[in-house]
Amino acid sequence: MAHPSQLGFQDAASPVMEELLHFHDHALMIVFLISTLVLYIIVAMVSTKLTNKYILDSQEIEIIWTVLPAIILILIALPSLRILYLMDEINSPLLTIKAVGHQWYWSYEYTDYEDLGFDAYMIPTQDLSPGQFRLLEADHRMVIPVESPIRVLVSADDVLHSWAVPALGIKMDAVPGRLNQTAFIASRPGIFYGQCSEICGANHSFMPIVVEAVPLEHFENWSSQMLEDA
């Protein structure tokens, strides 16, 4: 998860997020090179009185500064489109979970099971245990098996919400009366935190999302226990 004074992104916990981080570095390097070139030209123009007569009217330079930006845009657009299609790809999910946003909590339904669902409320500050995070802990976590394709159906019961977990590279709007879907694969075990990312009212900042990725055997034990308790 993020920590104070962090400059970069959170560590990737899914293949899509790893691709997004690589694309971010790729685009940032291009922006850095362009900024350096523009700064050099500005400094050169301000600090010298010399003028090159071939630059004042040059067909070759006009071709270069027209073609070069087009090539740079292509170098940015192609990886971007590839990741865009990867994020929309959903292949034979092992598990489907429906996440419904309410004011101001999340409810989860494991649709592959007959009666497995629960509400997830934020744990108040005074009830936190040592080591838990303020405004990020929920009384129920969305438990998933690691290294398994998971499909999440996202909707809302009242107003607009947004189900977002940065480490997994997920952000999907929850719209009342509409069912959006996204998919991800948790590449390693861990606990990943998120929050509602759409302003939804007075307690918008108090509806955290906690995803816990565990080995498949542990997930089966957890689901069996939840069904027994239900």
Side-chain angles (χ1 to χ4, degrees):
M1 62 174 294
H3 56 79
S5 72
Q6 178 174 329
L7 297 179
F9 290 98
Q10 298 182 26
D11 292 338
S14 71
V16 169
M17 190 59 192
E18 290 178 6
E19 293 288 341
L20 288 171
L21 291 180
H22 292 156
F23 174 70
H24 169 266
D25 296 340
H26 167 73
L28 200 63
M29 183 55 65
I30 293 177
V31 170
F32 175 76
L33 293 175
I34 293 173
S35 302
T36 304
L37 177 62
V38 171
L39 180 62
Y40 169 76
I41 293 174
I42 291 174
V43 171
M45 292 181 66
V46 170
S47 60
T48 182
K49 296 181 180 180
L50 300 177
T51 302
N52 190 326
K53 64 178 182 179
Y54 295 108
I55 296 181
L56 295 178
D57 185 18
S58 173
Q59 191 75 27
E60 291 79 10
I61 290 181
E62 290 184 6
I63 293 174
I64 290 173
W65 73 38
T66 301
V67 173
L68 191 59
I71 295 174
I72 293 174
L73 288 176
I74 291 172
L75 291 176
I76 296 175
L78 291 180
S80 175
L81 288 172
R82 173 178 169 271
I83 297 174
L84 195 62
Y85 280 100
L86 280 176
M87 294 176 71
D88 282 338
E89 196 72 28
I90 300 177
N91 290 323
S92 303
L94 180 72
L95 185 67
T96 299
I97 304 172
K98 184 179 179 182
V100 181
H102 307 267
Q103 288 183 310
W104 286 273
Y105 64 96
W106 292 97
S107 62
Y108 298 99
E109 302 172 17
Y110 287 70
T111 59
D112 299 288
Y113 295 83
E114 186 174 344
D115 188 21
L116 180 52
F118 49 84
D119 297 331
Y121 292 86
M122 186 194 76
I123 300 177
T125 303
Q126 62 271 19
D127 297 335
L128 290 174
S129 301
Q132 290 186 320
F133 300 103
R134 177 178 170 271
L135 301 183
L136 288 177
E137 296 289 350
D139 57 356
H140 288 91
R141 295 171 175 172
M142 192 186 94
V143 181
I144 59 168
V146 74
E147 294 183 345
S148 303
I150 309 297
R151 175 172 58 187
V152 182
L153 305 177
V154 184
S155 186
D157 186 51
D158 34 46
V159 299
L160 291 175
H161 299 278
S162 184
W163 199 82
V165 183
L168 297 172
I170 295 175
K171 184 178 185 294
M172 181 58 65
D173 287 342
V175 183
R178 178 170 178 170
L179 206 59
N180 294 328
Q181 72 172 353
T182 184
F184 65 91
I185 298 175
S187 54
R188 57 185 170 86
I191 301 173
F192 312 111
Y193 296 91
Q195 290 177 300
C196 176
S197 297
E198 189 76 48
I199 296 177
C200 56
N203 293 330
H204 156 68
S205 57
F206 304 119
M207 45 186 304
I209 300 160
V210 185
V211 178
E212 183 175 359
V214 298
L216 182 58
E217 181 181 353
H218 294 181
F219 172 78
E220 291 174 345
N221 294 336
W222 171 84
S223 59
S224 299
Q225 185 63 46
M226 291 291 290
L227 290 171
E228 290 178 6
D229 295 342

